[in-house]
């Protein structure tokens, strides 16, 4: 006859098994939360990560509008501080390659951003812009179109060809077979505009958004669309960022409705 099972031992085993199941389940839940796959743990961790001190490298032509955008972002994200460093896109690219500590980058052209694929995450276009001819106050030389810039009596200033606005300028002048001999080539669009504002140059090619900020210091001469160039502004997080999640949140916000309204109110075209 087979031995009679020990009822007390069986009950003990059953109770132990029952206790182990929820314990093991709890361990698995804890691992999920730690790895970010558990919703209860990931939400507060994400909220905490988005509060950070961000450094954003941005093209000179974004100087005014990004000050407004930065203030709006900080207001909507308490605890986050956004500091901008503005320069020509080629200067920003050099800083990134040299390992400058920053979290995100916004350039005034896709070519510069494309050259930084090893240092950035996938970029997104946040805005577009066009060029205008900025002339001295009152437009004394009566500049009406691009071909007028070829007049040797007019002192024209352009951005250097390695600068996005300088590259766009060369592109549209070459397309119209217009030869311009600039009196100087500047490191960014703000320097070009400043020369015209100060009377050190009679005319220059700048972004429409920059020239619009000059008021009556300059006269803006529009360039027809079929003779113009469209400047695209890509934004991306830097792989070296120590605030990756917060940087990604800011870059994503730039494509959202609040930032887009700020950009378009400043004269930038829809992305």
């Amino acid at each position: 006859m087979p031995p009679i099972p020990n009822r007390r031992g069986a009950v003990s085993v059953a109770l132990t098994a029952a206790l182990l199941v929820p314990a093991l389940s709890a361990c698995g839940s804890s691992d999920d939360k730690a790895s970010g796959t558990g919703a209860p743990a990931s939400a507060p961790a994400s909220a905490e990560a988005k509060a950070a001190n961000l450094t954003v490298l941005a093209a000179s032509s974004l100087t005014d509008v990004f000050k407004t955008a930065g203030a709006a972002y900080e207001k909507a994200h308490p605890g986050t501080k956004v500091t901008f460093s503005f320069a020509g896109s080629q200067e920003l690219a050099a800083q990134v390659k040299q390992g400058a500590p920053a979290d995100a980058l916004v350039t005034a052209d896709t070519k510069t951003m494309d050259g930084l694929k090893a240092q950035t995450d996938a970029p997104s276009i946040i805005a577009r812009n066009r060029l205008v001819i900025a002339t001295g106050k009152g437009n004394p030389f009566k500049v009406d179109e691009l071909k007028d810039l070829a007049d040797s009596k007019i002192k024209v200033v352009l951005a250097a060809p390695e600068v996005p606005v300088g590259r766009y300028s060369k592109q549209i002048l070459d397309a119209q077979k217009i030869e311009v001999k600039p009196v100087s080539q500047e490191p960014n669009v703000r320097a070009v505009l400043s020369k015209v504002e100060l009377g050190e140059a009679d005319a220059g090619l700048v972004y429409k958004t920059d020239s619009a900020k000059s008021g009556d210091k300059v006269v803006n001469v529009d360039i027809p669309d079929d003779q113009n160039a469209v400047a695209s502004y890509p934004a991306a997080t830097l792989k070296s960022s120590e605030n990756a999640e917060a940087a990604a949140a800011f870059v994503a916000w730039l494509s959202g409705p609040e930032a887009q309204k700020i950009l378009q109110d400043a004269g930038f075209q829809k992305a």
Side-chain angles (χ1 to χ4, degrees), residues 22-38 41:
L24 290 172
S25 175
C27 288
S29 176
S30 175
D31 288 344
D32 286 345
K33 291 175 184 176
S35 65
T37 58

PDB file of all heavy atoms in Angstrom, residues 22-38 41:
ATOM      1  N   PRO A  22       3.183  35.898  -6.070  1.00  0.00           N
ATOM      2  CA  PRO A  22       3.149  37.361  -6.072  1.00  0.00           C
ATOM      3  C   PRO A  22       4.506  37.988  -5.842  1.00  0.00           C
ATOM      4  O   PRO A  22       4.813  39.063  -6.326  1.00  0.00           O
ATOM      5  CB  PRO A  22       2.167  37.712  -4.938  1.00  0.00           C
ATOM      6  CG  PRO A  22       2.068  36.491  -4.093  1.00  0.00           C
ATOM      7  CD  PRO A  22       2.310  35.331  -5.002  1.00  0.00           C
ATOM      8  N   ALA A  23       5.368  37.274  -5.042  1.00  0.00           N
ATOM      9  CA  ALA A  23       6.691  37.835  -4.778  1.00  0.00           C
ATOM     10  C   ALA A  23       7.507  37.929  -6.053  1.00  0.00           C
ATOM     11  O   ALA A  23       8.160  38.925  -6.339  1.00  0.00           O
ATOM     12  CB  ALA A  23       7.427  36.974  -3.734  1.00  0.00           C
ATOM     13  N   LEU A  24       7.466  36.808  -6.844  1.00  0.00           N
ATOM     14  CA  LEU A  24       8.188  36.815  -8.109  1.00  0.00           C
ATOM     15  C   LEU A  24       7.605  37.836  -9.062  1.00  0.00           C
ATOM     16  O   LEU A  24       8.310  38.514  -9.788  1.00  0.00           O
ATOM     17  CB  LEU A  24       8.141  35.410  -8.746  1.00  0.00           C
ATOM     18  CG  LEU A  24       8.975  34.346  -8.016  1.00  0.00           C
ATOM     19  CD1 LEU A  24       8.690  32.976  -8.610  1.00  0.00           C
ATOM     20  CD2 LEU A  24      10.463  34.650  -8.123  1.00  0.00           C
ATOM     21  N   SER A  25       6.257  37.942  -9.046  1.00  0.00           N
ATOM     22  CA  SER A  25       5.588  38.917  -9.911  1.00  0.00           C
ATOM     23  C   SER A  25       6.027  40.324  -9.560  1.00  0.00           C
ATOM     24  O   SER A  25       6.270  41.147 -10.413  1.00  0.00           O
ATOM     25  CB  SER A  25       4.074  38.778  -9.776  1.00  0.00           C
ATOM     26  OG  SER A  25       3.426  39.772 -10.504  1.00  0.00           O
ATOM     27  N   ALA A  26       6.140  40.596  -8.255  1.00  0.00           N
ATOM     28  CA  ALA A  26       6.563  41.925  -7.810  1.00  0.00           C
ATOM     29  C   ALA A  26       7.976  42.226  -8.260  1.00  0.00           C
ATOM     30  O   ALA A  26       8.306  43.327  -8.644  1.00  0.00           O
ATOM     31  CB  ALA A  26       6.463  42.023  -6.274  1.00  0.00           C
ATOM     32  N   CYS A  27       8.853  41.154  -8.216  1.00  0.00           N
ATOM     33  CA  CYS A  27      10.221  41.375  -8.672  1.00  0.00           C
ATOM     34  C   CYS A  27      10.246  41.756 -10.139  1.00  0.00           C
ATOM     35  O   CYS A  27      10.969  42.639 -10.559  1.00  0.00           O
ATOM     36  CB  CYS A  27      11.057  40.099  -8.459  1.00  0.00           C
ATOM     37  SG  CYS A  27      11.431  39.764  -6.726  1.00  0.00           S
ATOM     38  N   GLY A  28       9.444  41.060 -10.951  1.00  0.00           N
ATOM     39  CA  GLY A  28       9.388  41.363 -12.379  1.00  0.00           C
ATOM     40  C   GLY A  28       8.880  42.759 -12.606  1.00  0.00           C
ATOM     41  O   GLY A  28       9.384  43.488 -13.443  1.00  0.00           O
ATOM     42  N   SER A  29       7.879  43.182 -11.842  1.00  0.00           N
ATOM     43  CA  SER A  29       7.340  44.525 -11.992  1.00  0.00           C
ATOM     44  C   SER A  29       8.388  45.560 -11.665  1.00  0.00           C
ATOM     45  O   SER A  29       8.517  46.571 -12.321  1.00  0.00           O
ATOM     46  CB  SER A  29       6.126  44.683 -11.076  1.00  0.00           C
ATOM     47  OG  SER A  29       5.647  45.983 -11.125  1.00  0.00           O
ATOM     48  N   SER A  30       9.197  45.281 -10.647  1.00  0.00           N
ATOM     49  CA  SER A  30      10.234  46.215 -10.260  1.00  0.00           C
ATOM     50  C   SER A  30      11.266  46.363 -11.363  1.00  0.00           C
ATOM     51  O   SER A  30      11.732  47.455 -11.665  1.00  0.00           O
ATOM     52  CB  SER A  30      10.911  45.728  -8.964  1.00  0.00           C
ATOM     53  OG  SER A  30      11.980  46.551  -8.630  1.00  0.00           O
ATOM     54  N   ASP A  31      11.631  45.238 -12.010  1.00  0.00           N
ATOM     55  CA  ASP A  31      12.603  45.296 -13.098  1.00  0.00           C
ATOM     56  C   ASP A  31      12.065  46.115 -14.253  1.00  0.00           C
ATOM     57  O   ASP A  31      12.783  46.883 -14.869  1.00  0.00           O
ATOM     58  CB  ASP A  31      12.933  43.876 -13.590  1.00  0.00           C
ATOM     59  CG  ASP A  31      13.779  43.116 -12.579  1.00  0.00           C
ATOM     60  OD1 ASP A  31      14.330  43.774 -11.690  1.00  0.00           O
ATOM     61  OD2 ASP A  31      13.869  41.883 -12.679  1.00  0.00           O
ATOM     62  N   ASP A  32      10.759  45.944 -14.568  1.00  0.00           N
ATOM     63  CA  ASP A  32      10.154  46.700 -15.664  1.00  0.00           C
ATOM     64  C   ASP A  32      10.221  48.191 -15.372  1.00  0.00           C
ATOM     65  O   ASP A  32      10.522  48.995 -16.247  1.00  0.00           O
ATOM     66  CB  ASP A  32       8.682  46.291 -15.859  1.00  0.00           C
ATOM     67  CG  ASP A  32       8.580  44.923 -16.507  1.00  0.00           C
ATOM     68  OD1 ASP A  32       9.606  44.452 -17.037  1.00  0.00           O
ATOM     69  OD2 ASP A  32       7.485  44.337 -16.487  1.00  0.00           O
ATOM     70  N   LYS A  33       9.927  48.546 -14.115  1.00  0.00           N
ATOM     71  CA  LYS A  33       9.930  49.963 -13.765  1.00  0.00           C
ATOM     72  C   LYS A  33      11.337  50.537 -13.869  1.00  0.00           C
ATOM     73  O   LYS A  33      11.539  51.637 -14.337  1.00  0.00           O
ATOM     74  CB  LYS A  33       9.408  50.156 -12.345  1.00  0.00           C
ATOM     75  CG  LYS A  33       7.917  49.843 -12.212  1.00  0.00           C
ATOM     76  CD  LYS A  33       7.487  49.926 -10.764  1.00  0.00           C
ATOM     77  CE  LYS A  33       6.024  49.523 -10.595  1.00  0.00           C
ATOM     78  NZ  LYS A  33       5.614  49.511  -9.203  1.00  0.00           N
ATOM     79  N   ALA A  34      12.300  49.752 -13.422  1.00  0.00           N
ATOM     80  CA  ALA A  34      13.666  50.234 -13.453  1.00  0.00           C
ATOM     81  C   ALA A  34      14.157  50.432 -14.878  1.00  0.00           C
ATOM     82  O   ALA A  34      14.948  51.313 -15.174  1.00  0.00           O
ATOM     83  CB  ALA A  34      14.597  49.258 -12.714  1.00  0.00           C
ATOM     84  N   SER A  35      13.677  49.557 -15.792  1.00  0.00           N
ATOM     85  CA  SER A  35      14.135  49.655 -17.173  1.00  0.00           C
ATOM     86  C   SER A  35      13.319  50.638 -17.984  1.00  0.00           C
ATOM     87  O   SER A  35      13.584  50.861 -19.152  1.00  0.00           O
ATOM     88  CB  SER A  35      14.067  48.273 -17.837  1.00  0.00           C
ATOM     89  OG  SER A  35      12.719  47.844 -17.916  1.00  0.00           O
ATOM     90  N   GLY A  36      12.258  51.194 -17.380  1.00  0.00           N
ATOM     91  CA  GLY A  36      11.474  52.200 -18.087  1.00  0.00           C
ATOM     92  C   GLY A  36      10.283  51.620 -18.811  1.00  0.00           C
ATOM     93  O   GLY A  36       9.553  52.333 -19.461  1.00  0.00           O
ATOM     94  N   THR A  37      10.063  50.286 -18.729  1.00  0.00           N
ATOM     95  CA  THR A  37       8.928  49.688 -19.420  1.00  0.00           C
ATOM     96  C   THR A  37       7.682  49.689 -18.569  1.00  0.00           C
ATOM     97  O   THR A  37       6.590  49.472 -19.065  1.00  0.00           O
ATOM     98  CB  THR A  37       9.253  48.241 -19.836  1.00  0.00           C
ATOM     99  OG1 THR A  37       9.602  47.490 -18.670  1.00  0.00           O
ATOM    100  CG2 THR A  37      10.417  48.211 -20.821  1.00  0.00           C
ATOM    101  N   GLY A  38       7.828  49.915 -17.279  1.00  0.00           N
ATOM    102  CA  GLY A  38       6.671  49.984 -16.398  1.00  0.00           C
ATOM    103  C   GLY A  38       6.149  51.405 -16.344  1.00  0.00           C
ATOM    104  O   GLY A  38       6.864  52.311 -15.948  1.00  0.00           O
ATOM    105  N   ALA A  41       6.560  53.788 -13.054  1.00  0.00           N
ATOM    106  CA  ALA A  41       7.868  54.324 -12.694  1.00  0.00           C
ATOM    107  C   ALA A  41       8.389  55.296 -13.740  1.00  0.00           C
ATOM    108  O   ALA A  41       9.071  56.237 -13.424  1.00  0.00           O
ATOM    109  CB  ALA A  41       8.869  53.183 -12.515  1.00  0.00           C
TER     110      ALA A  41
END
